[in-house]
Amino acid sequence: MKILVVNGPNLKLLGTRCPELYGSETLKSLEESMTRRAGALGVEISFFQSDCEGAIVERIGRCISEGIDGIIINPAAYTHTSIAIHDALEAVRIPAVEVHISNIHKREEFRRRTMTASACLGSICGLGFFGYELALDALFNHIKKVEK
Ligand code: DQA
């Protein structure tokens, strides 16, 4: 099973960016712990981070030819604006789970709307980095069930 983790704009700054919202751990430490969790599940995991909407759309589009079975995506600020990322997720028809480190419903009004969640299997927010692990478990269970 192959899972891709996509992180959107400014998430490479994790660790120093608003630690009161996003914690003090880095993107590298997130990727390391996800690699360990994926290894325990026997899942092949890969990572992509970009600050550019088009690059994220392009990366999602390549998932079919690469045989990716599931996508974990934190579109960051593009969550609230990007029809293009919504359409890319919808077009590839690969199960995706949207993750937000912070609770987007507890913050500014503009963060409550997500353009991308409706193209996903489900979404998790407000649980910090743990949300990515939950997303991995959820995708793993979903894909196994569908494969049966
Ligand atoms: C975020 C929430 C978004 O509103 C914000 O723009 C981000 C991070 C989160 O993980 O909590 O960049 O996606």
Side-chain angles (χ1 to χ4, degrees):
M1 189 187 300
K2 289 188 187 177
I3 304 279
L4 171 69
V5 182
V6 177
N7 279 299
N10 301 308
L11 292 174
K12 65 168 174 273
L13 302 176
L14 284 172
T16 52
R17 176 190 178 200
C18 308
E20 65 289 359
L21 286 171
Y22 304 119
S24 53
E25 286 189 75
T26 61
L27 185 61
K28 187 166 177 276
S29 77
L30 171 70
E31 293 180 354
E32 282 167 358
S33 64
M34 291 295 284
T35 301
R36 278 195 296 275
R37 179 79 195 126
L41 293 171
V43 167
E44 201 181 303
I45 199 158
S46 53
F47 301 95
F48 180 75
Q49 189 281 327
S50 178
D51 294 335
C52 302
E53 185 177 22
I56 295 170
V57 169
E58 197 272 328
R59 184 68 195 87
I60 294 168
R62 271 195 284 125
C63 284
I64 299 179
S65 64
E66 290 174 5
I68 299 286
D69 300 294
I71 299 171
I72 297 169
I73 183 161
N74 182 346
Y78 289 136
T79 304
H80 317 296
T81 60
S82 182
I83 299 170
I85 294 175
H86 168 280
D87 286 358
L89 291 167
E90 190 180 62
V92 296
R93 293 169 170 264
I94 293 170
V97 175
E98 179 167 309
V99 175
H100 298 286
I101 299 164
S102 66
N103 184 347
I104 55 172
H105 303 289
K106 237 175 142 179
R107 300 179 60 191
E108 301 95 328
E109 184 69 37
F110 67 83
R111 292 186 204 275
R112 293 199 186 148
R113 186 180 70 158
T114 148
M115 303 296 289
T116 43
S118 63
C120 295
L121 184 66
S123 56
I124 297 167
C125 80
L127 301 178
F129 279 18
F130 187 49
Y132 289 85
E133 287 198 30
L134 294 173
L136 179 57
D137 283 359
L139 270 180
F140 181 79
N141 287 343
H142 175 80
I143 295 161
K144 283 270 174 221
K145 208 159 63 187
V146 171
E147 274 173 2
K148 267 189 198 162

